[in-house]
Amino acid sequence: MSRKIAVIFPGIGYHTDKPLLYYSKKLALQHGYEIKDVSYGGFERNIKGDSVKMYAAFESAVAQCGEILKDVELDKYDSVLFISKSIGTAVAATYAAKRGTQTRNIFFTPVEQSFQVMKDDGILFHGTADPWLDHEVFLRECGKTEYPCYLVEGGNHSLETGDALKDLENLRWIMETVDQYMAE
């Protein structure tokens, strides 16, 4: 039986108990993955739009991630899946590169800086109304990659539109896509 681990990298304010990460973890468990949450914190407030604060938060999250995962022997697993959100997408990709670990990835609402470090296999989700990453910038950066990019029309940084029933429909479609990716 193959050993599989899913490591969850949250955003700054989007924790692992919020819908995208919560249901992704449930699906990963159904697919036989062990789950490891990376719970970092202690970030400054009002980071959006401040590149200095954003970089400091990123550096802090990468350092905390290294400490949290120092005893996790990723090379002992047959499959390593990183599920990340927002700044966590940059943290996950940077951590994989530093460790030299080959990963599969689910990138929810990456920030622009993430595209500089994302290298391993993965899929991306973006809301067309995401205030953290302009839609045109996302399309340009995604176009430079071979990643399948899934769009939520009118979705914000949480991939929500403000219409609860539409958000539930979108969440189902997103999780079906995540489930298919995990099954590959």
Side-chain angles (χ1 to χ4, degrees):
M1 182 167 181
S2 72
R3 292 191 65 206
K4 303 189 288 187
I5 188 168
V7 184
I8 316 301
F9 297 82
I12 291 172
Y14 199 97
H15 305 289
T16 62
D17 60 347
K18 296 221 177 177
L20 295 169
L21 299 178
Y22 174 82
Y23 286 109
S24 292
K25 284 181 8 178
K26 288 182 77 100
L27 286 171
L29 283 168
Q30 287 177 212
H31 283 279
Y33 286 89
E34 293 176 36
I35 304 294
K36 178 66 178 171
D37 286 334
V38 177
S39 300
Y40 34 71
F43 304 115
E44 287 190 55
R45 295 187 172 278
N46 303 315
I47 290 175
K48 184 172 81 170
D50 186 325
S51 61
V52 172
K53 286 182 180 179
M54 184 73 145
Y55 188 74
F58 164 76
E59 287 287 306
S60 173
V62 169
Q64 291 177 61
C65 175
E67 186 60 29
I68 293 165
L69 296 176
K70 71 179 182 202
D71 296 326
V72 179
E73 298 180 69
L74 295 177
D75 57 337
K76 302 276 186 194
Y77 292 89
D78 302 306
S79 179
V80 178
L81 174 65
F82 283 0
I83 303 171
S84 56
K85 169 77 174 79
S86 187
I87 195 171
T89 61
V91 174
T94 299
Y95 183 76
K98 283 184 175 187
R99 288 268 305 245
T101 301
Q102 189 70 27
T103 60
R104 299 183 75 232
N105 293 273
I106 298 166
F107 298 112
F108 289 117
T109 65
V111 293
E112 186 173 358
Q113 297 79 358
S114 301
F115 287 95
Q116 299 167 23
V117 291
M118 294 186 311
K119 303 289 183 234
D120 291 343
D121 181 72
I123 58 174
L124 284 82
F125 293 88
H126 170 75
T128 63
D130 186 341
W132 283 74
L133 179 58
D134 179 76
H135 183 57
E136 295 303 316
V137 173
F138 173 83
L139 291 176
R140 182 185 71 234
E141 293 300 319
C142 196
K144 296 176 186 175
T145 75
E146 294 186 16
Y147 292 115
C149 300
Y150 299 95
L151 301 177
V152 175
E153 192 63 42
N156 62 17
H157 197 58
S158 298
L159 301 179
E160 295 178 347
T161 65
D163 178 332
L165 293 178
K166 181 66 176 165
D167 292 342
L168 286 170
E169 285 177 30
N170 288 338
L171 184 60
R172 180 180 179 96
W173 162 75
I174 291 165
M175 289 303 124
E176 287 171 347
T177 306
V178 165
D179 185 54
Q180 289 171 2
Y181 180 74
M182 287 182 188
E184 293 175 358

